[in-house]
């Protein structure tokens, strides 16, 4: 009887998981802040879509997508990230098939096939391919870790994967391909690639991007799009007269009204709902929503939104340092890089730092697939923060979580190697 009372009951892995740290409150807080900004600014930027019969229709549609995104985040944050591993190949196959279908029979937007609409939701394969690339690279580089860094076969395989996905993204715009290259280079650095190999990959990317520019410019002239893409680049480098002296035409009105919106916002903005340019600015609710953010909230609000995204990157880096294994570290940092780099690209395009191109602002711009993919990324980051950080397991101690991972992805996090 005494022996029976002294025995400790065996606990299931599910019960043990419940004792692990909760989801990271900082990443969750950033997600909530972005949701608030999204609701406010989407309504402010939706003048083009507002109808007299229902002025709240754009906000309701956007709100439904955000609710779906919240459910995705909450659901994924409660699933151990190790269960995502067998699903990665399936998601990659789905993304590639979706991209292939859109290239053949997708909806034409601005002269190129870019999307498909199902159940009232617009799906853009570019968003799915970027997430697939992050998942694939995290898996490949975690399997190719060594004490000296990422093995050569892992670097080659990762680069080929990026080029394949980049090739599928290329017909929809060179910006997405460049963004994908930036994500992969960031993940390679975190994964511990040697500097010599890093610069070799960087050089190869530069050559491929240069060839892509030449091909894209040539195709733009011959495809019936009247050289739209080439004209955008030429306008970017045209410094013959100040921007404020240029005539607004049907070709440049998007960027010109975008600049006017930012100038109108000044330091503190005109406050949400008082935007002057939202009724004139094409795609104010998607590709140029940052202009409306700056007009409504001013330079202060624009910098605050930028700080939200940069804080996400910093927090993800902190979580990655706490991971004992390479796979979750690469997973969380890859998701953060995907979101933050896309946000920086959007802001750079809208403010005139980069040539004009379509790039949504994560979680802020209107768009079904963009919101869903960004929510999946947040959910994965929260899952890693809950199940992979070692707040209770010291660096050189036994880690029970290791036994639950497949053997091929049990490589030590390169950020943990002394």
């Amino acid at each position: 009887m005494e022996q029976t009372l002294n025995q400790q009951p065996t606990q299931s892995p599910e019960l043990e998981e419940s004792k692990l740290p909760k989801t990271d409150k900082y990443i969750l807080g950033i997600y909530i802040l972005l949701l608030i900004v999204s609701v406010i600014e989407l309504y402010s930027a939706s003048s083009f879509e507002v109808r007299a019969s229902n002025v709240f229709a754009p906000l309701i549609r956007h709100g439904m997508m955000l609710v779906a995104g919240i459910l995705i985040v909450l659901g994924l944050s409660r699933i151990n990230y190790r269960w995502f591993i067998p699903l990665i190949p399936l998601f990659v196959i789905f993304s590639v098939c979706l991209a292939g279908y859109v290239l053949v029979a997708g909806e034409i937007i601005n002269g190129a096939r870019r999307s498909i609409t199902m159940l009232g939701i617009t799906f853009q394969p570019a968003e799915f391919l970027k997430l697939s690339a992050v998942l694939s690279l995290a898996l490949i580089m975690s399997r190719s870790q060594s004490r000296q860094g990422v093995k050569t076969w892992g670097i080659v395989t990762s680069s080929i994967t990026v080029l394949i996905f980049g090739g599928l993204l290329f017909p929809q715009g060179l910006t997405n391909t460049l963004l994908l290259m930036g994500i992969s280079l960031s993940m390679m650095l975190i994964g511990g690639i040697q500097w010599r190999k890093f610069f070799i990959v960087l050089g190869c990317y530069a050559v491929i991007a240069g060839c892509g520019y030449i091909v894209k410019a040539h195709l733009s002239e011959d495809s019936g799009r009247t050289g739209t893409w080439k004209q955008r680049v030429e306008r970017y480098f045209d410094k013959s007269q100040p921007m404020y002296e240029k005539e607004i035409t049907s070709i440049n009105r998007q960027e010109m009204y975008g600049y006017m919106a930012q100038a109108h916002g000044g330091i503190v903005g005109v406050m949400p709902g008082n935007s002057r340019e939202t009724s004139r600015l094409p795609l104010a609710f998607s590709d140029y929503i940052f202009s409306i953010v700056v007009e409504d909230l001013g330079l202060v609000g624009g910098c605050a939104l930028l700080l939200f995204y940069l804080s996400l990157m910093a927090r993800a880096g902190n979580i990655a340092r706490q991971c004992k294994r390479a796979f979750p570290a690469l997973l969380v940092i890859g998701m953060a890089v995907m979101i933050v780099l896309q946000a920086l690209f959007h802001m750079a395009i809208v403010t005139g730092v980069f040539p004009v191109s379509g790039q949504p602002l994560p979680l802020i711009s209107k768009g079904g697939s963009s919101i869903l993919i960004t929510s999946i990324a947040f959910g994965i980051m929260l899952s890693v923060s809950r199940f992979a950080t070692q707040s209770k397991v010291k660096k050189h101690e036994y880690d029970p979580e290791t036994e639950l991972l497949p053997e091929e992805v049990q490589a030590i996090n390169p950020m943990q190697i002394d």
Side-chain angles (χ1 to χ4, degrees):
M1 182 69 175
E2 181 180 358
Q3 182 178 1
T4 303
L5 292 175
N6 290 335
Q7 287 179 346
Q8 297 295 327
T10 302
Q11 296 180 341
S12 65
E14 289 78 8
L15 185 59
E16 292 176 359
E17 286 180 359
S18 66
K19 293 183 177 181
L20 291 175
K22 296 181 180 180
T23 53
D24 187 80
K25 60 182 180 181
Y26 296 101
I27 288 183
L28 187 59
I30 293 171
Y31 179 73
I32 294 173
L33 287 172
L34 291 177
L35 287 180
I36 295 173
V37 175
S38 179
V39 171
I40 294 173
E41 292 305 319
L42 193 281
Y43 181 69
S44 180
S46 296
S47 294
F48 264 119
E49 292 193 317
V50 169
R51 297 179 181 178
S53 58
N54 188 356
V55 296
F56 294 104
L59 185 61
I60 292 173
R61 290 196 300 269
H62 186 66
M64 291 174 62
M65 292 306 306
L66 292 180
V67 170
I70 292 172
L71 295 177
I72 290 173
V73 169
L74 295 178
L76 292 179
S77 68
R78 300 184 65 84
I79 300 175
N80 193 305
Y81 69 92
R82 72 178 187 270
W83 296 112
F84 303 145
I85 297 175
L87 299 178
I88 292 176
L90 298 178
F91 189 83
V92 171
I93 293 173
F94 170 77
S95 301
V96 171
C97 291
L98 181 64
Y101 177 81
V102 169
L103 287 178
V104 175
E107 298 173 358
I108 298 177
I109 302 175
N110 292 331
R113 299 188 184 274
R114 302 178 185 271
S115 63
I116 179 175
T117 300
M118 295 185 296
L119 301 176
I121 301 175
T122 301
F123 292 93
Q124 294 188 338
E127 303 299 323
F128 289 85
L129 286 173
K130 283 181 281 192
L131 180 60
S132 294
V134 173
L135 294 171
S136 301
L137 294 179
L139 192 58
I140 293 170
M141 286 192 282
S142 63
R143 287 177 171 177
S144 58
Q145 289 289 316
S146 68
R147 297 286 300 186
Q148 291 73 37
V150 183
K151 296 178 182 178
T152 301
W153 73 264
I155 299 173
V156 173
T157 306
S158 297
S159 301
I160 292 175
T161 301
V162 170
L163 294 179
I164 292 174
F165 288 166
L168 292 171
L169 289 172
F170 179 74
Q172 302 177 33
L174 186 58
T175 306
N176 280 318
T177 304
L178 294 176
L179 178 59
L180 189 60
M181 290 179 177
I183 293 171
S184 68
L185 289 172
S186 300
M187 292 184 68
M188 287 180 185
L189 285 175
I190 299 298
I193 184 176
Q194 300 92 328
W195 283 107
R196 179 177 60 85
K197 296 179 180 179
F198 173 80
F199 285 115
I200 292 176
V201 174
L202 180 61
C204 292
Y205 281 179
V207 171
I208 293 172
C211 294
Y213 171 84
I214 296 173
V215 172
K216 187 73 173 180
H218 177 72
L219 292 177
S220 183
E221 291 178 339
D222 301 335
S223 63
R225 296 184 64 192
T226 63
T228 301
W229 189 85
K230 185 178 180 181
Q231 289 177 10
R232 289 175 174 178
V233 177
E234 291 176 347
R235 289 202 308 272
Y236 173 75
F237 287 104
D238 181 15
K239 308 299 181 183
S240 59
Q241 60 183 135
M243 186 65 65
Y244 58 85
E245 292 183 359
K246 291 184 178 180
E247 179 184 0
I248 299 177
T249 65
S250 59
I251 296 176
N252 69 359
R253 65 172 183 157
Q254 188 164 312
E255 58 255 48
M256 293 298 290
Y257 285 133
Y259 299 147
M260 291 170 65
Q262 296 168 66
H264 185 223
I267 301 298
V268 296
V270 297
M271 296 295 105
N274 297 319
S275 171
R276 182 186 66 191
E277 303 302 332
T278 182
S279 61
R280 299 193 295 177
L281 176 61
L283 300 178
F285 49 82
S286 56
D287 291 350
Y288 265 74
I289 196 168
F290 187 67
S291 290
I292 305 303
V293 171
V294 175
E295 185 179 18
D296 286 348
L297 305 177
L299 178 63
V300 174
C303 290
L305 184 58
L306 174 61
L307 184 61
F308 290 164
Y309 287 110
L310 295 180
S311 298
L312 176 64
M313 187 73 254
R315 189 60 187 174
N318 185 56
I319 292 173
R321 284 193 295 270
Q322 297 179 51
C323 295
K324 193 167 186 178
R325 300 295 158 184
F327 177 70
L330 289 167
L331 200 57
V332 69
I333 206 71
M335 295 298 163
V337 168
M338 181 185 71
I339 294 172
V340 175
L341 270 188
Q342 183 167 321
L344 294 178
F345 266 60
H346 174 96
M347 294 177 182
I349 291 168
V350 169
T351 56
V353 177
F354 288 172
V356 175
S357 182
Q359 199 64 236
L361 186 59
L363 215 59
I364 308 295
S365 295
K366 177 188 174 183
S369 54
S370 177
I371 291 175
L372 294 180
I373 294 301
T374 304
S375 298
I376 291 173
F378 268 98
I380 291 175
M381 285 190 288
L382 290 174
S383 174
V384 171
S385 73
R386 180 181 183 186
F387 295 106
T389 54
Q390 40 180 339
S391 60
K392 294 184 179 179
V393 181
K394 294 183 180 180
K395 187 174 179 179
H396 298 292
E397 288 183 353
Y398 167 73
D399 182 5
E401 178 69 11
T402 300
E403 289 187 349
L404 302 176
L405 285 173
E407 183 177 355
E408 64 270 17
V409 292
Q410 289 190 14
I412 296 292
N413 181 3
M415 301 174 70
Q416 296 275 341
I417 298 176
D418 294 327

